[in-house]
Structure formats: structure tokens, C-alpha cells
mmCIF file of all heavy atoms in Angstrom:
data_model
loop_
_atom_site.group_PDB
_atom_site.id
_atom_site.type_symbol
_atom_site.label_atom_id
_atom_site.label_comp_id
_atom_site.label_asym_id
_atom_site.label_seq_id
_atom_site.Cartn_x
_atom_site.Cartn_y
_atom_site.Cartn_z
ATOM 1 N N SER A 1 100.726 126.116 63.333
ATOM 2 C CA SER A 1 99.888 125.159 62.601
ATOM 3 C C SER A 1 98.597 124.890 63.335
ATOM 4 O O SER A 1 97.466 124.688 62.788
ATOM 5 C CB SER A 1 100.640 123.863 62.226
ATOM 6 O OG SER A 1 101.054 123.213 63.416
ATOM 7 N N ALA A 2 98.744 124.804 64.682
ATOM 8 C CA ALA A 2 97.590 124.548 65.493
ATOM 9 C C ALA A 2 96.571 125.733 65.450
ATOM 10 O O ALA A 2 95.390 125.537 65.587
ATOM 11 C CB ALA A 2 98.022 124.309 66.965
ATOM 12 N N GLN A 3 97.057 126.921 65.184
ATOM 13 C CA GLN A 3 96.203 128.111 65.133
ATOM 14 C C GLN A 3 95.315 128.063 63.918
ATOM 15 O O GLN A 3 94.222 128.664 63.898
ATOM 16 C CB GLN A 3 97.030 129.406 65.141
ATOM 17 C CG GLN A 3 97.669 129.770 66.457
ATOM 18 C CD GLN A 3 98.313 131.098 66.436
ATOM 19 O OE1 GLN A 3 99.429 131.221 66.186
ATOM 20 N NE2 GLN A 3 97.490 132.106 66.744
ATOM 21 N N PHE A 4 95.733 127.387 62.856
ATOM 22 C CA PHE A 4 95.005 127.275 61.625
ATOM 23 C C PHE A 4 94.122 126.002 61.622
ATOM 24 O O PHE A 4 93.268 125.814 60.763
ATOM 25 C CB PHE A 4 95.855 127.184 60.402
ATOM 26 C CG PHE A 4 96.530 128.493 60.056
ATOM 27 C CD1 PHE A 4 97.859 128.660 60.048
ATOM 28 C CD2 PHE A 4 95.693 129.587 59.698
ATOM 29 C CE1 PHE A 4 98.450 129.889 59.737
ATOM 30 C CE2 PHE A 4 96.227 130.816 59.318
ATOM 31 C CZ PHE A 4 97.576 130.974 59.380
ATOM 32 N N ALA A 5 94.228 125.180 62.674
ATOM 33 C CA ALA A 5 93.417 123.970 62.745
ATOM 34 C C ALA A 5 91.940 124.290 62.912
ATOM 35 O O ALA A 5 91.652 125.220 63.598
ATOM 36 C CB ALA A 5 93.947 123.081 63.903
ATOM 37 N N GLY A 6 91.141 123.510 62.252
ATOM 38 C CA GLY A 6 89.647 123.734 62.343
ATOM 39 C C GLY A 6 89.217 124.894 61.529
ATOM 40 O O GLY A 6 87.945 125.172 61.616
ATOM 41 N N ARG A 7 89.964 125.468 60.603
ATOM 42 C CA ARG A 7 89.489 126.584 59.846
ATOM 43 C C ARG A 7 88.858 126.039 58.607
ATOM 44 O O ARG A 7 89.467 125.523 57.710
ATOM 45 C CB ARG A 7 90.700 127.526 59.435
ATOM 46 C CG ARG A 7 91.414 128.085 60.625
ATOM 47 C CD ARG A 7 90.606 129.031 61.435
ATOM 48 N NE ARG A 7 90.354 130.329 60.606
ATOM 49 C CZ ARG A 7 91.076 131.425 60.770
ATOM 50 N NH1 ARG A 7 92.137 131.473 61.602
ATOM 51 N NH2 ARG A 7 90.798 132.547 60.065
ATOM 52 N N PRO A 8 87.498 126.093 58.533
ATOM 53 C CA PRO A 8 86.751 125.487 57.370
ATOM 54 C C PRO A 8 87.035 126.122 56.023
ATOM 55 O O PRO A 8 86.796 125.466 54.989
ATOM 56 C CB PRO A 8 85.261 125.694 57.795
ATOM 57 C CG PRO A 8 85.267 126.912 58.698
ATOM 58 C CD PRO A 8 86.623 126.833 59.438
ATOM 59 N N GLU A 9 87.549 127.343 55.970
ATOM 60 C CA GLU A 9 87.848 127.971 54.769
ATOM 61 C C GLU A 9 89.119 127.437 54.073
ATOM 62 O O GLU A 9 89.412 127.754 52.918
ATOM 63 C CB GLU A 9 87.966 129.465 54.872
ATOM 64 C CG GLU A 9 89.100 129.970 55.718
ATOM 65 C CD GLU A 9 88.861 130.149 57.172
ATOM 66 O OE1 GLU A 9 88.181 129.204 57.745
ATOM 67 O OE2 GLU A 9 89.323 131.128 57.774
ATOM 68 N N LEU A 10 89.842 126.617 54.785
ATOM 69 C CA LEU A 10 91.041 125.939 54.321
ATOM 70 C C LEU A 10 90.787 124.515 54.001
ATOM 71 O O LEU A 10 89.909 123.873 54.520
ATOM 72 C CB LEU A 10 92.215 126.036 55.295
ATOM 73 C CG LEU A 10 92.780 127.370 55.663
ATOM 74 C CD1 LEU A 10 93.761 127.361 56.795
ATOM 75 C CD2 LEU A 10 93.430 127.984 54.385
ATOM 76 N N PRO A 11 91.625 123.902 53.083
ATOM 77 C CA PRO A 11 91.580 122.516 52.937
ATOM 78 C C PRO A 11 92.220 121.824 54.151
ATOM 79 O O PRO A 11 92.853 122.589 54.957
ATOM 80 C CB PRO A 11 92.405 122.196 51.611
ATOM 81 C CG PRO A 11 93.364 123.377 51.604
ATOM 82 C CD PRO A 11 92.572 124.604 52.144
ATOM 83 N N HIS A 12 92.037 120.557 54.269
ATOM 84 C CA HIS A 12 92.806 119.807 55.342
ATOM 85 C C HIS A 12 94.291 119.857 54.919
ATOM 86 O O HIS A 12 94.633 119.414 53.782
ATOM 87 C CB HIS A 12 92.314 118.423 55.615
ATOM 88 C CG HIS A 12 93.039 117.766 56.626
ATOM 89 N ND1 HIS A 12 92.856 117.867 58.028
ATOM 90 C CD2 HIS A 12 94.125 116.838 56.570
ATOM 91 C CE1 HIS A 12 93.679 117.161 58.643
ATOM 92 N NE2 HIS A 12 94.482 116.525 57.849
ATOM 93 N N LEU A 13 95.155 120.255 55.735
ATOM 94 C CA LEU A 13 96.539 120.385 55.464
ATOM 95 C C LEU A 13 97.370 119.438 56.328
ATOM 96 O O LEU A 13 97.236 119.392 57.512
ATOM 97 C CB LEU A 13 97.061 121.845 55.659
ATOM 98 C CG LEU A 13 96.410 122.943 54.910
ATOM 99 C CD1 LEU A 13 96.903 124.231 55.443
ATOM 100 C CD2 LEU A 13 96.692 122.796 53.382
ATOM 101 N N THR A 14 98.284 118.693 55.639
ATOM 102 C CA THR A 14 99.376 117.977 56.408
ATOM 103 C C THR A 14 100.660 118.617 56.022
ATOM 104 O O THR A 14 101.112 118.618 54.869
ATOM 105 C CB THR A 14 99.333 116.491 55.963
ATOM 106 O OG1 THR A 14 98.098 115.887 56.232
ATOM 107 C CG2 THR A 14 100.410 115.682 56.766
ATOM 108 N N LEU A 15 101.188 119.220 56.986
ATOM 109 C CA LEU A 15 102.580 119.974 56.787
ATOM 110 C C LEU A 15 103.639 119.014 57.206
ATOM 111 O O LEU A 15 103.748 118.592 58.306
ATOM 112 C CB LEU A 15 102.531 121.214 57.687
ATOM 113 C CG LEU A 15 101.339 122.105 57.530
ATOM 114 C CD1 LEU A 15 101.355 123.145 58.632
ATOM 115 C CD2 LEU A 15 101.357 122.728 56.181
ATOM 116 N N VAL A 16 104.534 118.712 56.257
ATOM 117 C CA VAL A 16 105.611 117.706 56.417
ATOM 118 C C VAL A 16 107.001 118.324 56.302
ATOM 119 O O VAL A 16 107.283 118.971 55.283
ATOM 120 C CB VAL A 16 105.461 116.567 55.392
ATOM 121 C CG1 VAL A 16 106.563 115.504 55.661
ATOM 122 C CG2 VAL A 16 104.036 115.914 55.522
ATOM 123 N N ASP A 17 107.801 118.169 57.341
ATOM 124 C CA ASP A 17 109.199 118.631 57.348
ATOM 125 C C ASP A 17 109.959 117.675 56.357
ATOM 126 O O ASP A 17 110.084 116.533 56.735
ATOM 127 C CB ASP A 17 109.690 118.613 58.738
ATOM 128 C CG ASP A 17 111.177 119.132 58.845
ATOM 129 O OD1 ASP A 17 111.853 119.114 57.805
ATOM 130 O OD2 ASP A 17 111.553 119.459 59.972
ATOM 131 N N SER A 18 110.482 118.250 55.320
ATOM 132 C CA SER A 18 111.146 117.383 54.324
ATOM 133 C C SER A 18 112.446 116.763 54.866
ATOM 134 O O SER A 18 113.072 115.884 54.309
ATOM 135 C CB SER A 18 111.358 118.149 53.082
ATOM 136 O OG SER A 18 112.165 119.317 53.295
ATOM 137 N N VAL A 19 112.990 117.371 55.946
ATOM 138 C CA VAL A 19 114.212 116.895 56.513
ATOM 139 C C VAL A 19 114.006 115.800 57.551
ATOM 140 O O VAL A 19 114.644 114.721 57.481
ATOM 141 C CB VAL A 19 115.063 118.018 57.129
ATOM 142 C CG1 VAL A 19 116.310 117.604 57.759
ATOM 143 C CG2 VAL A 19 115.366 119.096 56.055
ATOM 144 N N THR A 20 113.125 116.008 58.452
ATOM 145 C CA THR A 20 112.905 115.109 59.554
ATOM 146 C C THR A 20 111.703 114.128 59.378
ATOM 147 O O THR A 20 111.578 113.133 59.992
ATOM 148 C CB THR A 20 112.704 115.808 60.881
ATOM 149 O OG1 THR A 20 111.438 116.505 60.810
ATOM 150 C CG2 THR A 20 113.857 116.811 61.098
ATOM 151 N N GLY A 21 110.745 114.555 58.445
ATOM 152 C CA GLY A 21 109.574 113.782 58.225
ATOM 153 C C GLY A 21 108.495 114.091 59.268
ATOM 154 O O GLY A 21 107.413 113.552 59.177
ATOM 155 N N ALA A 22 108.743 114.966 60.244
ATOM 156 C CA ALA A 22 107.727 115.363 61.251
ATOM 157 C C ALA A 22 106.523 116.048 60.477
ATOM 158 O O ALA A 22 106.685 116.775 59.548
ATOM 159 C CB ALA A 22 108.339 116.366 62.251
ATOM 160 N N ALA A 23 105.351 115.701 60.971
ATOM 161 C CA ALA A 23 104.086 116.194 60.293
ATOM 162 C C ALA A 23 103.245 116.895 61.304
ATOM 163 O O ALA A 23 103.146 116.527 62.518
ATOM 164 C CB ALA A 23 103.403 115.100 59.663
ATOM 165 N N HIS A 24 102.481 117.890 60.852
ATOM 166 C CA HIS A 24 101.535 118.596 61.595
ATOM 167 C C HIS A 24 100.240 118.779 60.749
ATOM 168 O O HIS A 24 100.271 119.131 59.587
ATOM 169 C CB HIS A 24 102.012 120.062 61.989
ATOM 170 C CG HIS A 24 103.291 120.116 62.742
ATOM 171 N ND1 HIS A 24 103.279 120.052 64.066
ATOM 172 C CD2 HIS A 24 104.588 120.176 62.310
ATOM 173 C CE1 HIS A 24 104.569 120.026 64.536
ATOM 174 N NE2 HIS A 24 105.365 120.144 63.506
ATOM 175 N N ALA A 25 99.116 118.459 61.404
ATOM 176 C CA ALA A 25 97.820 118.600 60.753
ATOM 177 C C ALA A 25 97.346 119.998 61.019
ATOM 178 O O ALA A 25 97.473 120.585 62.094
ATOM 179 C CB ALA A 25 96.857 117.544 61.304
ATOM 180 N N SER A 26 96.700 120.587 59.975
ATOM 181 C CA SER A 26 96.152 121.952 60.102
ATOM 182 C C SER A 26 94.999 122.050 59.152
ATOM 183 O O SER A 26 94.693 121.151 58.419
ATOM 184 C CB SER A 26 97.265 122.993 59.799
ATOM 185 O OG SER A 26 96.908 124.266 60.280
ATOM 186 N N GLY A 27 94.436 123.239 59.129
ATOM 187 C CA GLY A 27 93.293 123.515 58.228
ATOM 188 C C GLY A 27 92.078 122.871 58.714
ATOM 189 O O GLY A 27 91.888 122.546 59.846
ATOM 190 N N ALA A 28 91.187 122.527 57.699
ATOM 191 C CA ALA A 28 89.877 121.971 58.013
ATOM 192 C C ALA A 28 90.016 120.589 58.628
ATOM 193 O O ALA A 28 91.006 119.871 58.411
ATOM 194 C CB ALA A 28 89.032 121.810 56.682
ATOM 195 N N GLU A 29 89.041 120.268 59.430
ATOM 196 C CA GLU A 29 89.052 118.895 60.146
ATOM 197 C C GLU A 29 88.716 117.861 59.208
ATOM 198 O O GLU A 29 87.963 118.073 58.217
ATOM 199 C CB GLU A 29 88.160 118.979 61.339
ATOM 200 C CG GLU A 29 88.458 119.993 62.418
ATOM 201 C CD GLU A 29 89.674 119.639 63.151
ATOM 202 O OE1 GLU A 29 90.148 118.533 63.065
ATOM 203 O OE2 GLU A 29 90.109 120.496 63.934
ATOM 204 N N ARG A 30 89.126 116.637 59.476
ATOM 205 C CA ARG A 30 88.655 115.475 58.734
ATOM 206 C C ARG A 30 87.554 114.913 59.569
ATOM 207 O O ARG A 30 87.547 114.891 60.770
ATOM 208 C CB ARG A 30 89.729 114.408 58.704
ATOM 209 C CG ARG A 30 90.828 114.684 57.650
ATOM 210 C CD ARG A 30 91.606 113.300 57.433
ATOM 211 N NE ARG A 30 92.691 113.398 56.543
ATOM 212 C CZ ARG A 30 93.977 113.384 56.881
ATOM 213 N NH1 ARG A 30 94.274 113.160 58.151
ATOM 214 N NH2 ARG A 30 94.906 113.430 55.997
ATOM 215 N N PRO A 31 86.527 114.192 58.903
ATOM 216 C CA PRO A 31 86.364 114.166 57.485
ATOM 217 C C PRO A 31 85.510 115.432 57.053
ATOM 218 O O PRO A 31 84.775 115.924 57.855
ATOM 219 C CB PRO A 31 85.482 112.951 57.228
ATOM 220 C CG PRO A 31 84.728 112.728 58.537
ATOM 221 C CD PRO A 31 85.588 113.255 59.641
ATOM 222 N N SER A 32 85.667 115.919 55.945
ATOM 223 C CA SER A 32 84.933 117.023 55.427
ATOM 224 C C SER A 32 84.956 116.989 53.948
ATOM 225 O O SER A 32 85.614 116.201 53.287
ATOM 226 C CB SER A 32 85.442 118.292 55.937
ATOM 227 O OG SER A 32 86.647 118.633 55.312
ATOM 228 N N ALA A 33 84.203 117.957 53.368
ATOM 229 C CA ALA A 33 84.239 118.061 51.901
ATOM 230 C C ALA A 33 85.417 118.813 51.360
ATOM 231 O O ALA A 33 85.561 118.995 50.218
ATOM 232 C CB ALA A 33 82.931 118.695 51.464
ATOM 233 N N ALA A 34 86.206 119.315 52.329
ATOM 234 C CA ALA A 34 87.318 120.106 51.936
ATOM 235 C C ALA A 34 88.382 119.213 51.209
ATOM 236 O O ALA A 34 88.506 118.012 51.459
ATOM 237 C CB ALA A 34 87.946 120.810 53.094
ATOM 238 N N ARG A 35 89.151 119.867 50.376
ATOM 239 C CA ARG A 35 90.278 119.180 49.793
ATOM 240 C C ARG A 35 91.306 118.764 50.852
ATOM 241 O O ARG A 35 91.364 119.354 51.946
ATOM 242 C CB ARG A 35 90.974 120.029 48.759
ATOM 243 C CG ARG A 35 90.152 120.378 47.518
ATOM 244 C CD ARG A 35 90.954 121.397 46.640
ATOM 245 N NE ARG A 35 91.163 122.650 47.397
ATOM 246 C CZ ARG A 35 92.251 123.424 47.204
ATOM 247 N NH1 ARG A 35 93.215 123.001 46.425
ATOM 248 N NH2 ARG A 35 92.403 124.571 47.821
ATOM 249 N N GLU A 36 92.065 117.824 50.523
ATOM 250 C CA GLU A 36 93.253 117.448 51.406
ATOM 251 C C GLU A 36 94.542 117.666 50.670
ATOM 252 O O GLU A 36 94.720 117.154 49.571
ATOM 253 C CB GLU A 36 93.079 116.003 51.870
ATOM 254 C CG GLU A 36 91.877 115.739 52.684
ATOM 255 C CD GLU A 36 91.883 114.381 53.340
ATOM 256 O OE1 GLU A 36 92.916 113.746 53.361
ATOM 257 O OE2 GLU A 36 90.824 113.985 53.894
#
């Protein structure tokens, strides 16, 4: 997920483990015009 962080061609992604609730931020940085 860290390898995809800061990629402007992606929306800002919050990846959430549905079992543990652990989350990882990836994709475009906040704030930006990208979708979240």
C-alpha cells in the first residue's frame, strides 16, 4: 500500500481490513482534487 502512496493517477484510498479494522492510506495524497 505504501508503494502506491502518492500516485496522482489514483484516487486517495483508505484500505480497511474488515476483520481487524486496521487501515492503510494509499493512492493520491490529501488534499487533492482526486476522489476519495
